[in-house]
Amino acid sequence: MPTLILVRHGRSTANTSGVLAGRTPGVALDERGAAQAAALPGRLAALPISEVVTSPLQRCRETVRPLLEARPGLRSHTEERIEECDYGDWSGRKLAELKDEPLMEVVQAHPSAAAFPGGESMRAMHTRAAEAVREWNARVEEQHGADAVYLMCSHGDIIKALVADALGLHLDLFQRISVEPCSITAIRYTRLRPFLVRLGDTGDFASLAPREEPSEGDAPVGGGAGAP
């Protein structure tokens, strides 16, 4: 079965402003995010990518644009099932103010029970994304062979949920996974089991340096802004 390259979109204007973007339209890459996207073709130069699948949201489309320009024959497809979680009434709100919402504790400790007001549950998000990957695995293998490599550009919580699925982890453990903007995660699928062969690889270790403001241990909803 194919190898899936999961790319989280580059850093966005919402990431740097501390806003939970969700599906809010018009959220673009910031200057650093655009530079991350521009570097993506070089990082992936050795891979024979057969297809590109992207979330319909602007920040994902902008992330894969340089790759598609560098490989004019590469086909791109939009897949709504790997779109960002629908955070409903939380969308567009500051993460700093959401910290005090009682639901945030559930999102952190028991995400399989978390449902966003006016939006969707994290369980539904996980199910739709995993189903999309399995269908695309079959489609890519049929069209390009069992050793094919294809790419999906999606969002932090979606990618974390797919990693948990590949590792056989309960969704309640997915907040232990971290993927930075424009990081590369690779999952090689086989008939019996998936293998996680890369996780959140940016080629940059700046995010491991001590922060001026130490983390309180909560996972950043939506994925966080990455290294400063």
Side-chain angles (χ1 to χ4, degrees):
M1 295 179 71
T3 296
L4 170 60
I5 306 299
L6 288 163
V7 176
R8 185 183 167 202
H9 62 78
R11 197 174 74 176
S12 73
T13 53
N15 292 145
T16 45
S17 61
V19 168
L20 184 62
R23 299 180 180 181
T24 305
V27 177
L29 299 183
D30 68 5
E31 184 176 352
R32 179 171 179 174
Q36 291 171 331
L40 197 58
R43 294 169 65 197
L44 298 171
L47 295 181
I49 298 170
S50 58
E51 306 278 354
V52 168
V53 184
T54 180
S55 157
L57 293 178
Q58 178 179 341
R59 53 197 184 273
C60 287
R61 291 186 283 107
E62 289 180 349
T63 299
V64 299
R65 186 176 299 153
L67 177 64
L68 295 172
E69 291 173 350
R71 303 192 190 195
L74 189 56
R75 292 186 298 178
S76 178
H77 312 268
T78 299
E79 173 57 77
E80 293 183 355
R81 290 175 295 177
I82 61 168
E83 188 173 9
E84 179 66 285
C85 184
D86 184 355
Y87 297 117
D89 298 344
W90 280 26
S91 300
R93 293 179 60 187
K94 288 279 190 180
L95 288 164
E97 69 180 45
L98 289 171
K99 286 176 61 177
D100 297 326
E101 293 280 353
L103 178 60
M104 183 60 84
E105 186 177 10
V106 182
V107 170
Q108 293 293 326
H110 190 21
S112 65
F116 296 97
E120 72 176 331
S121 68
M122 302 199 93
R123 187 174 63 256
M125 173 201 75
H126 170 250
T127 299
R128 62 173 165 83
E131 287 178 349
V133 165
R134 281 161 174 76
E135 289 181 19
W136 275 100
N137 281 350
R139 179 175 174 177
V140 169
E141 181 172 2
E142 180 180 359
Q143 295 181 2
H144 301 283
D147 295 327
V149 177
Y150 74 107
L151 181 148
M152 278 187 170
C153 184
S154 188
H155 307 268
D157 281 349
I158 295 285
I159 294 173
K160 287 161 56 178
L162 290 171
V163 169
D165 178 76
L167 293 175
L169 296 178
H170 196 284
L171 184 61
D172 285 345
L173 300 178
F174 100 126
Q175 296 290 28
R176 302 183 183 194
I177 298 165
S178 176
V179 289
E180 292 202 0
C182 224
S183 63
I184 293 172
T185 294
I187 302 171
R188 181 172 294 128
Y189 289 87
T190 74
R191 186 174 65 87
L192 295 181
R193 64 182 63 86
F195 292 91
L196 179 66
V197 292
R198 291 288 189 281
L199 176 60
D201 189 341
T202 63
D204 179 3
F205 295 100
S207 64
L208 301 181
R211 302 290 179 94
E212 292 183 7
E213 297 182 4
S215 170
E216 297 179 0
D218 284 347
V221 181

